[in-house]
Amino acid sequence: MTIESTITKLNEMRLNAIADTYYNQMNDPQYRELSFEDRFNLLIDSEYIRRKNNKLDRLIRTANFRMPGACIEDIHYYEDRKLDRTTILRLASCNYIGEKQNVILKGASGNGKSYLACAFGVSACRNGYTAKYMRLPELLDELALARLNGTYQKIMKAYRKVNLLILDEWLLVSLTEHEARDVLEIVESRYQNASTIFCSQFEPGGWYEQIGEATLADAILDRVIHSSHSIFIDGKISMRERLGIQS
């Protein structure tokens, strides 16, 4: 059997990384000094890494993060932001997802809530969890359309299955009663089943006014705040100003 025919068969079986590594081994005299076991392990490692990277790329692409390049390692811990590095790293381990807990990120516009949320989302993907980023206004529009075309339950089921849902611009504007009911459906379906990150400019106490209907507000907050880790992101200067284009 020739090298070329072996590589062809490997590629036909979609073992592309093994095919590439095998080709390199057969054309590099240095590999001849290695034992069969060592060379075989290198072949397996190359394919394993390729598949892990492909899975990570697929999870990040499907998550549709606003900032897909966000990562915990690049978070800025400026003193005025008052971020606790220990808390950030603990949440980046994703244990809260395994425990079906939530995270509330609070802070003024421009203080980096979306970036931190996306960084947590990328960490979730790195740990093999599914994630989804959505602005709450876009989610409410999607659910309203789903009611009209008869796909509401299908859409709700899809959001229920995601391990980590990131809801940006959480209660940025006041809700109608129909929107408040949709929010309750989302929160209820994920309660003790999956994790959600809420990015809000308001303290939870201010959510009541944005939700409007007191009974619905009580039900939503009861399912969110008691099972959530809370992080307040301060800052005398917004991150947009700090990291903006310098003239």
Side-chain angles (χ1 to χ4, degrees), residues 3-4 7 19-32 39:
I3 296 174
E4 289 76 12
I7 291 175
D20 292 340
T21 305
Y22 175 68
Y23 176 84
N24 292 333
Q25 287 186 3
M26 298 306 293
N27 288 276
D28 189 339
Q30 293 183 357
Y31 283 106
R32 297 172 186 170
R39 292 177 63 176

Side-chain angles (χ1 to χ4, degrees), residues 103-225:
V103 177
I104 301 174
L105 302 180
K106 301 170 294 183
S109 176
N111 277 6
K113 300 184 299 295
S114 297
Y115 184 93
L116 182 55
C118 289
F120 283 142
V122 171
S123 291
C125 293
R126 288 177 177 176
N127 282 275
Y129 291 110
T130 57
K132 181 70 174 178
Y133 171 92
M134 283 291 290
R135 294 172 54 251
L136 181 60
E138 293 178 341
L139 173 59
L140 294 174
D141 287 344
E142 182 181 6
L143 293 176
L145 180 60
R147 284 187 183 278
L148 294 176
N149 60 27
T151 60
Y152 185 83
Q153 292 301 326
K154 180 180 178 180
I155 296 295
M156 288 296 299
K157 183 178 180 180
Y159 280 107
R160 188 183 306 121
K161 292 171 60 177
V162 175
N163 297 135
L164 176 64
L165 176 63
I166 298 172
L167 293 178
D168 208 348
E169 299 182 14
W170 171 253
L171 300 178
L172 184 61
V173 297
S174 299
L175 304 179
T176 66
E177 183 174 343
H178 277 299
E179 290 173 337
R181 292 185 182 280
D182 283 340
V183 168
L184 177 58
E185 286 296 319
I186 286 287
V187 170
E188 168 63 25
S189 68
R190 298 181 60 77
Y191 179 61
Q192 295 183 337
N193 292 312
S195 297
T196 307
I197 295 179
F198 304 90
C199 301
S200 176
Q201 294 188 30
F202 305 100
E203 291 285 346
W207 296 0
Y208 280 95
E209 183 178 351
Q210 301 299 92
I211 295 171
E213 210 287 319
T215 303
L216 293 175
D218 283 336
I220 291 169
L221 267 72
D222 184 59
R223 288 161 174 78
V224 173
I225 61 176

Side-chain angles (χ1 to χ4, degrees), residues 18 51 60-62 73 144-145 189 199 227:
I18 289 181
R51 295 193 180 199
I60 291 177
R61 185 170 60 254
T62 303
E73 295 82 0
L145 180 60
S189 68
C199 301
S227 58

Side-chain angles (χ1 to χ4, degrees), residues 1-117:
M1 183 180 295
T2 65
I3 296 174
E4 289 76 12
S5 65
T6 299
I7 291 175
T8 298
K9 291 176 181 178
L10 289 170
N11 285 322
E12 287 179 356
M13 292 187 290
R14 299 183 180 180
L15 300 173
N16 307 98
I18 289 181
D20 292 340
T21 305
Y22 175 68
Y23 176 84
N24 292 333
Q25 287 186 3
M26 298 306 293
N27 288 276
D28 189 339
Q30 293 183 357
Y31 283 106
R32 297 172 186 170
E33 300 175 5
L34 300 178
S35 68
F36 170 80
E37 288 79 7
D38 288 338
R39 292 177 63 176
F40 183 74
N41 286 336
L42 289 173
L43 293 173
I44 299 303
D45 286 346
S46 66
E47 187 65 30
Y48 178 80
I49 293 171
R50 183 186 72 87
R51 295 193 180 199
K52 288 282 288 186
N53 289 339
N54 286 349
K55 180 181 179 181
L56 176 58
D57 290 342
R58 185 171 62 254
L59 287 172
I60 291 177
R61 185 170 60 254
T62 303
N64 197 31
F65 294 124
R66 178 179 174 183
M67 303 170 188
C71 62
I72 297 298
E73 295 82 0
D74 288 344
I75 291 173
H76 296 280
Y77 293 92
Y78 297 115
E79 184 176 355
D80 62 305
R81 300 192 79 197
K82 299 179 182 178
L83 286 175
D84 182 68
R85 188 187 300 267
T86 301
T87 298
I88 299 297
L89 295 179
R90 176 168 52 81
L91 291 173
S93 70
C94 298
N95 288 336
Y96 73 98
I97 299 178
E99 296 173 359
K100 311 297 189 296
Q101 297 171 347
N102 306 314
V103 177
I104 301 174
L105 302 180
K106 301 170 294 183
S109 176
N111 277 6
K113 300 184 299 295
S114 297
Y115 184 93
L116 182 55

